[in-house]
Amino acid sequence: MSVSSVCRLCLQKQKSNPYGRLDDAYDSSDTLFNEPLSTPSNSQYQKTSKWLESNDDDDLDDSITSHVENLFPLSEPKTEENRSHNYQESVSLELESKASWASSSQVEEIIDAGPPILPNYEDAEEQFLEEYEDYFEHLAVDNVRKEQYPKLELQRIVYLDYANFSLYSQYQVEQHMRVLLEEGPCLGSAALSNSSAIHLRNHVSEVQEQLLRLFNTSKNEYAIIFTTGFAAGFRLFGEAYPFQKNQTLLLCQDNHEAVKHVASSASKQGTRPIITAVRESDLCIESGELRKQLLKQTWQGGGRGVYIYPAQSCLSGVRHSLNWIAEAQQNGWHVLIDVSTYLPTGSLNLSIYQPEFVLGSLHHMLGYPSGMGYLLVKRQIFSIQRTRFTDSLKLVLNRSMSEGGDCHIVCEDDSISLLSFAALEFGLEHLEMVGLERVQKRVTCLLAWLVQVLRHLRHKVDESKPLVQVYGSLSTKNRGNIVTFNLVDSTGQVFPPTIVQRMAEKSNIIVSAGYFGNPGLAYMLGKPLEKVLDLTIFNQPPNFSAVRLSLGLISTFQDVYRFAQFLSLFRDEEYLSGEAMDFIEESK
């Protein structure tokens, strides 16, 4: 039976029984179809029907295969034993399975309970899938969500806080627990200082290879230093980098506050820190000012210093161009790029862009275990050396690539267990099997839809007045997985972000509120009476707070729809003066 025939049989069955199972559509003698299939939603069925009708029978078999594999898979039955011993096969089956959408009357009743500013869920879903082909092509990720993150479905949780804490999969935790149990109660053998724990050090090597593979590079090109966290990575870099007198440390106003550790170390060595601005209009790097600084700052002896900037803002979600890496290097600078909130919804190909340093957070990528970061070091430029008496690391220029080793772990008092790397290994394995490209395409589609909705939310009493103030560029080209905003009433006053966060939580929606460790940008958005652009902006409490939502590995259209629906409630002045104000009073 050809793939096209199977698909047409399924569609015919769906026409006669649109809410029934599809199993009966298959010929009972066809043993290829062993696994029961869940029901497509009406919009998914309609989209597939239109696509089929637009293709001739002669050309259909080849062109339909990739679509049908997602919607109506030919898969073998899964067993618990296979799952435990062959996760790659298991996740592949999940991804090939059709993702079932919220079509039960109970779920639809909950989703469609809000104001009529949005189309009902089913219509909105259909319009979304029609407009965003990339999301439609990767509906199968929803199956991974259902199997590996069951709590989200069971408790109807809308999780939109991936930039703060990513979600760990059921597989990652189960496999890590298996390793812990195999090691038995004597977990002291997992300490870094235990030279006999060779078998556990294999987990470190595996994580090193997985992480470098994610960046499309190898240990021949980049060495890696594992740290106890994101801030610890900045502190390590500040202590290890060979700053010199009359040198310049160029920082972006949009850097995380942890960069102040680097600035402090640089200043002690006689290096002068300088802040480069971002534009107030879209919060992107002020390109003219940056180029001026890259060309202007120089020092006697050849090099010009190091430039540190984030690939993605942890506050606004604006993505800064990776092309600044090569432009800075061409002008004699070393570059450290912060990818802590950029991954896994963004990608950095180190075979194309080759900064001297890449600093990131495994905690933000995987969620478990907490407090793990890393620093990649380009071996052609720097070698990593341990000092003889303090055992601290130093970055040394112009040494052979064979010197210094390709993997280091830096922590105090053995605070990182080798068993933590087992958890990282399984987490990265899960991420790799889901597929970064799938995740990135889905998130781009979801953000594009959501930003458009936020732009068009208006107050009922005056449709000319916007309800939502979004910070940063509204272009999806310049935005990652983060949207930061405030709700504004009809008089222009900002509704307290922490109250919005707590009201969202009451509706089972998880977002963040605050300034998100970005005092430089928060200082600008707080509209100070006197504008200052120096290191003091990283040390003073900002007069700014906002709501931040961030999408991730398993975000769905239902998530963003429910959040947009929640925000729609604030259009009504009666809601603001009633339930919202009552909530404020209860919170005092």
Side-chain angles (χ1 to χ4, degrees):
M1 183 179 291
S2 69
V3 174
S4 60
S5 299
V6 171
C7 193
R8 291 192 187 280
L9 278 173
C10 292
L11 290 171
Q12 290 169 8
K13 183 69 176 179
Q14 179 73 349
K15 288 180 181 180
S16 62
N17 184 18
Y19 298 104
R21 299 189 67 82
L22 297 176
D23 304 71
D24 295 338
Y26 298 119
D27 190 321
S28 60
S29 63
D30 192 341
T31 57
L32 290 175
F33 302 96
N34 295 314
E35 187 174 340
L37 297 171
S38 51
T39 307
S41 67
N42 286 346
S43 58
Q44 185 175 338
Y45 160 73
Q46 291 167 2
K47 186 175 182 69
T48 309
S49 298
K50 294 177 182 177
W51 189 84
L52 284 169
E53 291 169 1
S54 65
N55 288 271
D56 296 331
D57 289 336
D58 293 338
D59 300 326
L60 187 58
D61 283 353
D62 292 336
S63 58
I64 198 174
T65 301
S66 61
H67 291 267
V68 176
E69 285 177 348
N70 281 333
L71 297 176
F72 313 104
L74 315 184
S75 57
E76 297 179 358
K78 294 174 281 187
T79 66
E80 195 64 32
E81 181 179 357
N82 288 339
R83 171 175 301 284
S84 175
H85 292 87
N86 195 337
Y87 179 62
Q88 179 173 352
E89 179 181 354
S90 175
V91 174
S92 296
L93 290 173
E94 293 165 25
L95 289 173
E96 289 171 3
S97 300
K98 182 203 68 64
S100 56
W101 285 74
S103 57
S104 70
S105 58
Q106 184 181 13
V107 175
E108 286 182 353
E109 182 180 352
I110 293 173
I111 294 176
D112 293 331
I117 184 65
L118 296 171
N120 65 58
Y121 178 73
E122 194 171 275
D123 291 342
E125 177 199 45
E126 179 179 353
Q127 294 170 11
F128 175 76
L129 293 177
E130 287 286 349
E131 184 173 355
Y132 296 98
E133 292 282 346
D134 281 345
Y135 189 91
F136 177 74
E137 294 290 338
H138 300 296
L139 283 176
V141 175
D142 289 11
N143 266 15
V144 178
R145 171 180 169 129
K146 288 184 178 181
E147 182 161 337
Q148 293 297 321
Y149 307 84
K151 184 177 179 180
L152 297 179
E153 297 294 327
L154 292 174
Q155 300 186 11
R156 301 191 187 92
I157 296 173
V158 175
Y159 189 80
L160 299 173
D161 199 16
Y162 289 88
N164 185 43
F165 195 94
S166 189
L167 298 179
Y168 47 80
S169 68
Q170 184 171 303
Y171 167 80
Q172 180 187 7
V173 176
E174 288 176 348
Q175 294 302 305
H176 188 220
M177 292 303 105
R178 176 181 58 79
V179 172
L180 292 178
L181 292 172
E182 288 176 355
E183 289 301 311
C186 302
L187 297 182
S189 62
L192 290 176
S193 57
N194 187 355
S195 59
S196 65
I198 299 176
H199 64 294
L200 292 180
R201 292 185 179 274
N202 291 335
H203 293 298
V204 179
S205 299
E206 184 61 30
V207 171
Q208 177 190 12
E209 292 183 10
Q210 289 172 318
L211 195 58
L212 293 175
R213 189 162 59 242
L214 185 146
F215 288 104
N216 195 28
T217 188
S218 69
K219 61 184 179 181
N220 293 327
E221 298 295 329
Y222 281 87
I224 186 168
I225 305 172
F226 292 105
T227 68
T228 54
F230 173 66
F234 270 118
R235 189 181 298 108
L236 168 70
F237 178 79
E239 295 171 354
Y241 185 84
F243 290 108
Q244 300 179 21
K245 289 183 179 180
N246 301 319
Q247 200 175 7
T248 300
L249 171 64
L250 202 56
L251 303 174
C252 178
Q253 184 178 4
D254 201 8
N255 273 322
H256 189 275
E257 62 187 353
V259 78
K260 64 186 179 184
H261 297 302
V262 181
S264 175
S265 296
S267 298
K268 291 177 182 178
Q269 301 299 322
T271 295
R272 183 167 62 114
I274 292 179
I275 311 294
T276 61
V278 297
R279 293 191 297 263
E280 291 190 31
S281 58
D282 57 7
L283 304 185
C284 294
I285 289 175
E286 178 58 68
S287 56
E289 176 64 22
L290 177 56
R291 287 193 176 95
K292 179 180 177 181
Q293 293 291 352
L294 291 175
L295 292 171
K296 177 182 177 181
Q297 305 302 326
T298 188
W299 63 292
Q300 296 179 352
R304 301 196 179 196
V306 59
Y307 173 45
I308 302 177
Y309 81 105
Q312 175 177 295
S313 172
C314 61
L315 192 158
S316 68
V318 168
R319 285 184 175 171
H320 302 300
S321 174
L322 298 178
N323 292 328
W324 288 117
I325 297 172
E327 187 161 345
Q329 290 172 329
Q330 289 168 5
N331 285 283
W333 295 80
H334 296 145
V335 177
L336 183 153
I337 188 164
D338 165 16
V339 297
S340 55
T341 62
Y342 184 65
L343 300 174
T345 59
S347 61
L348 174 59
N349 188 338
L350 291 181
S351 67
I352 300 175
Y353 305 97
Q354 298 184 348
E356 284 74 18
F357 309 98
V358 180
L359 191 147
S361 169
L362 290 161
H363 159 77
H364 286 89
M365 285 176 59
L366 304 175
Y368 174 76
S370 61
M372 294 286 285
Y374 59 89
L375 176 68
L376 303 186
V377 179
K378 188 167 178 57
R379 302 185 69 188
Q380 185 178 4
I381 310 299
F382 287 92
S383 64
I384 304 171
Q385 304 290 328
R386 285 192 178 273
T387 57
R388 179 175 300 178
F389 300 106
T390 64
D391 200 37
S392 59
L393 295 185
K394 290 295 180 182
L395 298 168
V396 181
L397 277 167
N398 302 325
R399 293 291 184 93
S400 170
M401 291 178 60
S402 62
E403 294 185 9
D406 55 50
C407 183
H408 301 267
I409 303 173
V410 176
C411 64
E412 298 178 359
D413 303 324
D414 282 350
S415 56
I416 295 181
S417 166
L418 290 174
L419 288 167
S420 297
F421 288 91
L424 295 175
E425 176 185 346
F426 298 125
L428 289 169
E429 181 180 344
H430 173 72
L431 182 63
E432 191 172 22
M433 288 310 306
V434 173
L436 290 183
E437 185 177 358
R438 288 188 182 99
V439 174
Q440 291 157 9
K441 287 182 177 180
R442 283 168 59 98
V443 167
T444 298
C445 296
L446 293 172
L447 257 294
W449 182 89
L450 182 59
V451 169
Q452 288 300 316
V453 171
L454 297 183
R455 290 178 63 183
H456 290 91
L457 285 179
R458 305 282 170 170
H459 286 278
K460 273 187 176 181
V461 294
D462 189 346
E463 292 286 342
S464 67
K465 295 183 177 179
L467 174 67
V468 183
Q469 180 179 2
V470 177
Y471 300 103
S473 172
L474 294 177
S475 168
T476 55
K477 180 181 179 182
N478 296 324
R479 181 175 293 282
N481 65 320
I482 294 172
V483 177
T484 301
F485 65 93
N486 269 316
L487 296 180
V488 183
D489 66 21
S490 58
T491 66
Q493 296 297 311
V494 172
F495 197 78
T498 53
I499 298 299
V500 177
Q501 178 194 27
R502 293 168 71 177
M503 292 182 68
E505 186 175 350
K506 190 177 179 181
S507 299
N508 263 11
I509 300 173
I510 311 301
V511 293
S512 287
Y515 74 95
F516 316 111
N518 193 324
L521 208 56
Y523 175 81
M524 170 192 285
L525 296 173
K527 300 187 181 302
L529 297 177
E530 182 181 357
K531 294 184 179 180
V532 177
L533 194 61
D534 57 33
L535 286 181
T536 60
I537 65 175
F538 291 111
N539 297 313
Q540 54 184 303
N543 183 29
F544 174 81
S545 182
V547 181
R548 182 182 72 180
L549 70 89
S550 49
L551 303 182
L553 184 68
I554 51 170
S555 295
T556 65
F557 177 72
Q558 186 180 128
D559 290 336
V560 294
Y561 181 90
R562 280 183 57 189
F563 184 71
Q565 191 176 60
F566 164 74
L567 293 185
S568 298
L569 296 172
F570 291 84
R571 297 178 62 245
D572 194 338
E573 294 293 329
E574 293 183 2
Y575 177 80
L576 286 174
S577 60
E579 183 174 343
M581 295 308 297
D582 290 344
F583 191 88
I584 294 176
E585 291 298 325
E586 293 174 5
S587 302
K588 290 182 178 179

